[in-house]
Amino acid sequence: MTLNLIKLCVGCPSIDELEGWQAARLADMHARGVPAELKHTTRMTPKRSSELLDGGSLYWVIKGSVQVRQKLIDIRTFTDAEGIKRCDLVLDSKLVPTIPRRFRPFQGWRYYESKDAPPDLESRGGDFADMPQDLRQELAEMGLI
C-alpha cells in the first residue's frame, strides 16, 4: 500500500517560490560540483519507509493548504556533526500541483493516506492548471473547487 507524508512548507508563500528555492539549491550544488539532488532533512525517520517508497509523495502545505506534492525517491538516515541522528527525504525535482485543500498547522511531518490526499490539479481537467495560483487558492477557500 502506498503511503505519503505531509509537511508544512514554512516561510514559503507559493508554489512558484518553492520552485525557485529548489532551483537555486540545485544550481548551487551543480556549481560546487556535488551531486545535485533535492533533500529535506528531518530529525525523525519514518518507520514505514517501504510504504513511502512504493510510489509515495511528500505533500507540501503552503499558506494553510495542501497545494503541491513531490515524489519521494529515497529515505536516508545519517548522524550529523553534532552526533544527532537525522533523516534525508530525497525528493523528485518535479513539483505536481494539487487541488488546494485546507490543512491545519502541525509540527514535523505526518503520514498521509492516499485516500485523504487531494488529487493532482491536472486530473481535474478544464482550465484549473492555467489559473493563477492565488485565484485557485481563493476559490478553494470558498469551497468552489
Side-chain angles (χ1 to χ4, degrees):
M1 177 180 84
T2 301
L3 188 63
N4 305 289
L5 292 177
I6 187 166
K7 176 132 182 56
L8 298 181
C9 197
V10 178
C12 184
S14 69
I15 297 171
D16 292 337
E17 190 80 17
L18 176 61
E19 187 173 41
W21 289 354
Q22 291 184 351
R25 184 176 295 159
L26 289 173
D28 178 59
M29 289 177 190
H30 281 297
R32 291 184 292 132
V34 298
E37 61 183 6
L38 292 173
K39 297 183 283 187
H40 180 76
T41 304
T42 70
R43 177 125 186 222
M44 302 302 292
T45 301
K47 305 263 187 278
R48 300 170 69 182
S49 295
S50 62
E51 293 170 87
L52 292 167
L53 295 175
D54 185 25
S57 293
L58 175 63
Y59 283 79
W60 291 108
V61 176
I62 299 173
K63 292 180 73 177
S65 294
V66 179
Q67 294 190 30
V68 68
R69 69 177 179 85
Q70 286 179 280
K71 185 174 184 203
L72 285 163
I73 295 174
D74 200 5
I75 297 172
R76 300 179 194 143
T77 57
F78 67 97
T79 303
D80 70 12
E82 294 153 3
I84 299 171
K85 286 197 174 258
R86 304 234 183 243
C87 172
D88 278 338
L89 304 173
V90 183
L91 306 169
D92 184 50
S93 60
K94 182 179 180 189
L95 292 167
V96 180
T98 64
I99 295 185
R101 181 173 295 163
R102 300 292 297 159
F103 207 94
R104 70 186 191 297
F106 60 95
Q107 288 187 330
W109 52 261
R110 300 283 186 269
Y111 290 114
Y112 202 35
E113 300 282 340
S114 292
K115 66 178 177 54
D116 298 326
D120 293 348
L121 192 60
E122 290 177 353
S123 71
R124 180 73 182 239
D127 296 329
F128 289 106
D130 297 331
M131 207 180 278
Q133 182 182 342
D134 290 343
L135 180 57
R136 279 196 316 256
Q137 178 69 25
E138 215 172 304
L139 291 172
E141 287 174 9
M142 291 188 288
L144 297 174
I145 60 170

